[in-house]
Amino acid sequence: MDNFLSLFETYDVAGAFWVNIQLTFWAAIWSFILGTILALMRISPIASLQWFGAAYVNIFRNTPLTVIIAFGVLGLWGQLNVVLAEDFQVNFLRLAILGLSIYHAAFVCEAIRSGVNTVPLGQAEAARAIGLSFLPAARLVILPQALRGAVAPLGNVLIALTKNSTVAFAGSVVESSNLMKEMIEFRGDLVIPIFFVFAMGFVIIVVPIGLLTTWLSKKLAVAR
């Protein structure tokens, strides 16, 4: 037991999970913004925007996240010299956030589009009838209702994003899975307790997200 507790004195487990929380928080914001723009493109009456939105979703949804994160480090930073921060570690953290955002925006787009499908066609026709063009109609009438119907799928995307934040390990970000690997390398006699600690850490983070989104989806459900 003393050996196990000494792990927490030697390694900063809470700090590693804090990195995962930061990755999730910022990637959730950027992927939501990008995913909303993509969803607008996919329901736009302009064919070229529909094509771009569909192409983005199909390309990035079917590309492994590890490949995207590795490209950020090896391609953007290593080959193209794209620097997002002067600090070495912060630069890798921001590249990982960029990769997570680009990847999960495709899933956010589809979640919002599923919400758009719950909006009766008459709502869009009524918006057009009072003289609103596409963007005002989408902003004032369609998206507010679509987001209420998309809370549950968006919650699932957020849960997946939280767990996928461990892939930032491939981008040299010192987060929980990186620390777990280091702990197992040096304390191979405590493999099972180490796995248990990190598994429970993610359960503690993810379960409240699931409960909150389930509650919100019921609270904001539109009665038809």
Side-chain angles (χ1 to χ4, degrees), residues 82 154 171:
V82 175
L154 284 173

Side-chain angles (χ1 to χ4, degrees), residues 39-162:
L40 287 173
M41 287 182 173
R42 296 210 67 181
I43 64 173
S44 165
I46 302 173
S48 58
L49 293 180
Q50 291 179 19
W51 179 89
F52 180 85
Y56 183 100
V57 169
N58 284 311
I59 290 172
F60 287 102
R61 187 172 58 178
N62 296 305
T63 302
L65 177 57
T66 309
V67 173
I68 296 174
I69 297 289
F71 174 78
V73 175
L74 301 176
L76 293 182
W77 178 71
Q79 295 294 317
L80 301 177
N81 296 319
V82 175
V83 178
L84 301 181
E86 294 299 325
D87 184 271
F88 195 68
Q89 291 301 327
V90 174
N91 183 51
F92 282 175
L93 181 74
R94 291 181 179 177
L95 284 171
I97 291 171
L98 178 65
L100 288 167
S101 304
I102 289 173
Y103 178 77
H104 289 89
F107 295 91
V108 170
C109 169
E110 291 304 277
I112 294 176
R113 202 162 70 92
S114 71
V116 171
N117 291 333
T118 66
V119 180
L121 182 60
Q123 295 284 324
E125 292 174 344
R128 295 296 182 90
I130 61 175
L132 295 177
S133 59
F134 170 71
L135 277 181
R139 182 171 59 86
L140 299 173
V141 178
I142 299 173
L143 275 183
Q145 297 182 70
L147 290 174
R148 294 176 68 173
V151 170
L154 284 173
N156 291 333
V157 174
L158 182 58
I159 289 172
L161 169 58
T162 304

